[in-house]
Amino acid sequence: MRARASRHSMAVAVVPAVLSLLVAAPPASGQDWQTVSASRRSSGETELEVSVQYGAGRLEIGGADEGTLYSVSLRHDPESTRSITEYEQGRLRVGVESLKSNRGVPWKEGGELSLALGPGRPIDLAVEFGAGDAELNLGGIALSDLTMKTGASDARLDMPTPNPVPMRKASFEVGAASFEAHGLGNLNAEGIDVQAGVGSATLDFTGEWQRDSHVTLHMGMGSLRLLFPVGLGVKVEQGGFLASFDGEGLVQRGDAYYSSAWNTSDRKITVDIHAAFGSTTVEWIR
Amino acid sequence: MSNFPSDRNVRYPLFGPAPVGPQARFRLGVLTVLPLLASAVMPHVASAQLEPVVAKEVVVGSSEASLRLELTDGELEVSLEDGIVHVDGSEVGGFEVGGSLDAAWRQLLGSAAVMDGTSLARALVDWTPPGALQGPEREVGERIDEALESALASSAFGDPPQEAEVDGELIRSLLSRTDRLENLGDMLAGVDLDNMIVRIGEDVYVAEDEEVNVTLLAIDADVEIEGTVRGDVVVVDGTLTLPEEGRVTGDVHLANSRLLSNEGVIEGSVSEIASGQDEESEEDLRDQLREEIRTELRTEATMDRASERSGAWNLLRPFRTIGRGVAGVLATGFNVLILCLLGWLVVYFAGDNVAVVAETARRSPGRSAMVGLAGTFLVFPVWLLGTLALVLTIVGIFALPFWLVLFPIAVVLAIGLGFYGVASGIGEHLATWRHPLVEWVRSSNPFTLVCGGLIALATPFLLAHVVEMGMFFGMIEALLLVAGWIILVCAGLVGFGSVLITRAGRRPEFQWGRGLDEDMADWGVDPESPSSPPGGDDWFGAETRPGGHGETDPDASES
C-alpha cells in the first residue's frame, strides 16, 4: 500500500513536469491540445472549498507542499472543452466543461488533470468525475468534507495518513465503475456513505479510527468487498433483494452481524448494506 | 531592461566585470573555492527585490501561449496568440508563429509551469528575447521583457543600488551546498584558472560573431554559445546550449547540468558529474522504495496469516471458493429435487390444469406476463376491498375469517400452479429439442415435463455456483444470479397470469393466443376452406363462439 502511495505521489510530481515539457514544446501542425498550469501560494486562508468537475480522462488528486494553496496541471482539447481554474475568496473550481458550440465528441481521449492541495487548512473537497481513471491520494490534506461522484470509471482513493481535522461526512457515488477506497479509517469521518450502481467496489476500512462511525452502503448490482482491520468493532446490518452476503468473521445476533471485538473495541462502526443484486464479502486484515 | 544586472543583452558578461585574476587560483576543496565564489558573486549580484508571485496561470496550446500572474499589488497578463502579442490586454505587436520569439516564450512558460514564488519571479525577470531577433519582432520581445521586469522587479529599478550588495540568499544557498563545491573542486582540476570568468545566477550568452579567450564557469545559470570560446566551459546546475555555429576549443564539464542542442563543435572532451546530493537523493529514494516493498510484502504476509488464523476452513483458502461453489450446486440441486417431488403431486392432482396453464403460457407468454403483473398489483387491493365489503355487509362478517385466510392461500396456490405450468411449458420445449441430455423429457409424461422445466429454470443458479468455484469470476457469478432471479420472477408472472386467464386451468377456451386454426376447428370450420365463417361475415369481429360458454372470445377482437 505504501509503495502504491509512493507511486502516486511520484506520479503527481511527474505529471506537472511532463506537462511542462509539453508546454515548452513548439506548436506542431495538427496539435490541438492545450495545457494549463495554475498555482497559488497560500496567504493565510483558513479554509478552502474545492470543486473538481472533470468529464473524461485521467484525474489525479494529491497533496502539495506547505506554502502552496493549490496547484493544477490540466491537459484538454480546447476545441471541445473549456478549462476551468477559478479561485475566489476561498473557493476553487477546477476542471473542464464542454463548449456549447461543440457538436463533436465532447471528450477526447488523452486528457489529464492533476490537482495538488496544500496542507494547513480544512478543505471541503467535491469531485465529479465522468469516465476514465481517477487516483486520489489524500494523505496530508485536511479534509472537512469529501464528496466524490464518478460515472463509468476506475477510481481509487487512498488515505494513508490520519485526517488532522474531523470530517462530517464522506460521500461516494459510483456509477458503472470499479471503485477502491483504502484507509477509510483515516478519514476521521462521522459518516461514510457509498452508493454504487453497477460494478465492483472494494472498501478498506483500515486506518486510525478516531471516532465511532456509521457507514451506509447502497449497491445496485455487482460485487462489494469489505476489508476490516482485526480488532475493530463492526456491526453489519444487511438487507437486499437478491444479494448474497458472506460475513466471514462475523456472528449473527438477531438481524445484525457483529465482529468478535464489538463489545471490547474502543471504536465501533455500524455498516448498513442495502444491495439489490450481487454479492458482499467481508475480509479481515491484521 | 538594459540596466538590469542579469539582462542577457548586457550580459555579454564575458566582457563585463573584471574576470577573476590569476591570483585567485583554485584549490581542490571547499575552503579554496568559497572565497573565490564569494568574490565573484559580490560585484555582480546587486540584488533586486523581486515581487512575489501570488498566483500564476500558464496556458499553452497550438495557437496560444499565455501567462497570467497575480502579484501582491497588481496583475500581469502576457499572451502570444494567433500571431498577436498582448500585454495586459493591449496589443503590442505581432510575432511569427513557430518563430524564435514564439519558441523562446514557450520555453519560458515550460519552466514557469513548474515554478512558484521567488524562483518563478527570478526566471521571468531573467528571461530575455532571443538575440537573433531582428526588427519589429525584437521590439515586441523587448516589450514583453520590460513588462515582466517592471511587474516583478519594479522596486529594484526604482531604487538603483548605491553600492554593491551581497545577495545573502545566494551566498547562503552556496554555503549550504558544500557537496557541489567539492565536486566543483574535482572538476576544476586541470582547468586553466588563470583566465577565468565566473558567473553565478546569471545566464551567459556568447554571440555568433564573438570569440572569447577565457575559461568560463557558470553556476546556477544557463550558457548559450553561438560564437567561439577558446578555453574550457564549466556549468554547474544549468544548461549549455551549443547551436550549430557554436564552438568550444577546450573541455566541457557539466555538473548536474545538461547539454542542449549539441550541434556545435567541442574540440575537447565532455565530462558529466552528478552531484553528491543527487546521488544521496537517489540512494535515499532507492532505500525508501526498498523499505516500501519490504513493508508491503510484510503486510501481504500478515494478511495471509490473519486470514489463515481466522478459521480452520481458511487453511484451504484457495479451495474455499470451490467448496462454496460445490455447496451451492448441491443446495440448488436439493431445492430442485424438492420442487420436483411437489411437482409430482401437482401433476397427479391437477395435471389437466397444469397442461392448460402450460399451453397458455407457452403460446402467449407476453400477455400472460402482463396479466400476471396486473394481478400481482391488484391482489392486495382486492383482498382489502373484499374485506371491507364483507365488513360493510353485516352478513359477510361471518365469511370474513375465511376470506382473510383463504384468499392469500388461493393466491399462493395460483402462483404455484402457474409456476409449475410454466415449468411444464418449458419442458414441452425441451421435449422437442431431442438433445441426448433431455431425452428423458417426454411430452407423454407430464411429470418429466415439469422436472425438465424446473431444472432449466434452475440452470442459471447452477452455473453461477459453478462459476463461483473460480476465484476471479465474481462479476459473472453475480450476473448469472441476477439473470436466474429475473427468469424466475418472469416465470412467476407468466404463470400467475396464465392461471388468471384460464381460471386456474379450468377454462381452456380462455387461452389467449390460441392459433386461428384451433379456433376455427373449435367452431367446426375447416381452416383450409375458403367459405365464410359461421354465424357472421367476419371471423375477426366480436363473435359468440359456437358451443361456447356465452363468453366473448378475446382472440376475436385481438386478432
Side-chain angles (χ1 to χ4, degrees), chain B residues 14 204-208 210-212 216 222-235 239-249 252 259-261 263-266:
Chain B
L14 304 177
V204 177
Y205 173 65
V206 179
E208 189 175 354
E210 207 172 350
E211 183 172 325
V212 293
L216 173 60
D222 296 339
V223 177
E224 184 176 354
I225 300 171
E226 291 186 352
T228 302
V229 174
R230 296 200 172 276
D232 298 331
V233 175
V234 182
V235 184
T239 58
L240 170 61
T241 305
L242 200 64
E244 194 174 354
E245 56 275 15
R247 185 178 171 206
V248 177
T249 60
V252 169
L259 178 57
L260 300 177
S261 304
E263 297 165 349
V265 177
I266 300 174

Side-chain angles (χ1 to χ4, degrees), chain B residues 69-356:
Chain B
L69 298 177
E70 186 180 323
L71 309 167
T72 49
D73 58 352
E75 292 182 350
L76 173 67
E77 180 173 349
V78 179
S79 73
L80 276 66
E81 188 172 4
D82 295 328
I84 306 293
V85 177
H86 289 87
V87 174
D88 286 333
S90 303
E91 184 178 330
V92 296
F95 70 98
E96 182 190 349
V97 175
S100 55
L101 176 60
D102 193 13
W105 178 247
R106 286 171 182 272
Q107 190 174 7
L108 173 67
L109 295 191
S111 305
V114 291
M115 287 177 152
D116 272 319
T118 311
S119 61
L120 172 61
R122 182 174 294 279
L124 295 174
V125 165
D126 283 352
W127 183 81
T128 54
L133 278 181
Q134 301 293 333
E137 204 168 22
R138 175 161 196 85
E139 289 176 15
V140 170
E142 288 174 354
R143 290 285 298 274
I144 296 172
D145 193 15
E146 284 170 10
L148 290 171
E149 289 175 357
S150 63
L152 293 158
S154 54
S155 61
F157 295 117
D159 303 312
Q162 297 301 312
E163 57 186 31
E165 297 171 6
V166 175
D167 188 330
E169 188 182 345
L170 188 54
I171 292 294
R172 276 194 297 278
S173 159
L174 286 170
L175 289 173
S176 67
R177 292 156 59 186
T178 51
D179 56 322
R180 300 279 168 93
L181 299 176
E182 286 173 11
N183 287 331
L184 190 59
D186 294 338
M187 215 167 10
L188 293 177
V191 171
D192 176 17
L193 303 176
D194 290 343
N195 186 24
M196 170 178 273
I197 287 181
V198 180
R199 288 292 179 269
I200 300 175
E202 295 177 9
D203 293 348
V204 177
Y205 173 65
V206 179
E208 189 175 354
D209 53 353
E210 207 172 350
E211 183 172 325
V212 293
N213 189 16
V214 293
T215 293
L216 173 60
L217 168 60
I219 302 172
D220 274 339
D222 296 339
V223 177
E224 184 176 354
I225 300 171
E226 291 186 352
T228 302
V229 174
R230 296 200 172 276
D232 298 331
V233 175
V234 182
V235 184
V236 180
D237 284 347
T239 58
L240 170 61
T241 305
L242 200 64
E244 194 174 354
E245 56 275 15
R247 185 178 171 206
V248 177
T249 60
D251 297 333
V252 169
H253 303 277
L254 302 168
N256 197 35
S257 302
R258 288 185 304 156
L259 178 57
L260 300 177
S261 304
N262 185 16
E263 297 165 349
V265 177
I266 300 174
E267 294 180 1
S269 62
V270 178
S271 62
E272 293 186 46
I273 297 178
S275 73
Q277 190 176 350
D278 288 343
E279 287 168 4
E280 190 183 347
S281 301
E282 287 170 15
E283 187 58 35
D284 287 346
L285 186 60
R286 274 197 291 272
D287 288 344
Q288 190 182 345
L289 286 173
R290 213 175 286 129
E291 183 57 31
E292 283 174 351
I293 290 168
R294 280 200 202 104
T295 306
E296 193 154 2
L297 288 173
R298 276 198 295 269
T299 306
E300 290 285 339
T302 307
M303 284 172 62
D304 287 344
R305 282 197 297 275
S307 183
E308 286 169 4
R309 285 190 199 113
S310 64
W313 186 237
N314 283 347
L315 292 172
L316 301 173
R317 186 178 179 81
F319 304 103
R320 189 179 61 175
T321 52
I322 296 176
R324 214 159 38 198
V326 170
V329 169
L330 292 176
T332 306
F334 183 75
N335 290 338
V336 171
L337 181 64
I338 298 294
L339 288 173
C340 286
L341 290 176
L342 285 174
W344 180 80
L345 292 175
V346 173
V347 169
Y348 183 81
F349 289 107
D352 292 342
N353 305 60
V354 170
V356 171

Side-chain angles (χ1 to χ4, degrees), chain B residues 370-452:
Chain B
M370 295 304 292
V371 172
L373 192 64
T376 304
F377 281 110
L378 289 173
V379 161
F380 181 72
V382 166
W383 180 73
L384 196 62
L385 288 173
T387 304
L388 287 174
L390 290 174
V391 170
L392 291 175
T393 57
I394 309 298
V395 181
I397 290 176
F398 296 102
L400 188 59
F402 299 100
W403 171 259
L404 288 175
V405 176
L406 292 179
F407 182 82
I409 291 175
V411 170
V412 171
L413 288 175
I415 292 173
L417 177 64
F419 186 71
Y420 279 108
V422 170
S424 179
I426 294 172
E428 283 282 2
H429 280 293
L430 292 177
T432 60
W433 192 17
R434 300 184 188 285
H435 190 274
L437 280 176
V438 292
E439 270 183 347
W440 55 275
V441 181
R442 296 173 186 279
S443 297
S444 56
N445 187 337
F447 178 62
T448 61
L449 294 179
V450 169
C451 289

Side-chain angles (χ1 to χ4, degrees), chain A residues 35 37 39-40 85 246 248, chain B residues 57-58 60 70 116 320 324:
Chain A
T35 58
S37 173
S39 65
R40 178 175 291 272
T85 50
D246 180 7
E248 179 188 315
Chain B
E57 184 178 284
V58 175
V60 175
E70 186 180 323
D116 272 319
R320 189 179 61 175
R324 214 159 38 198

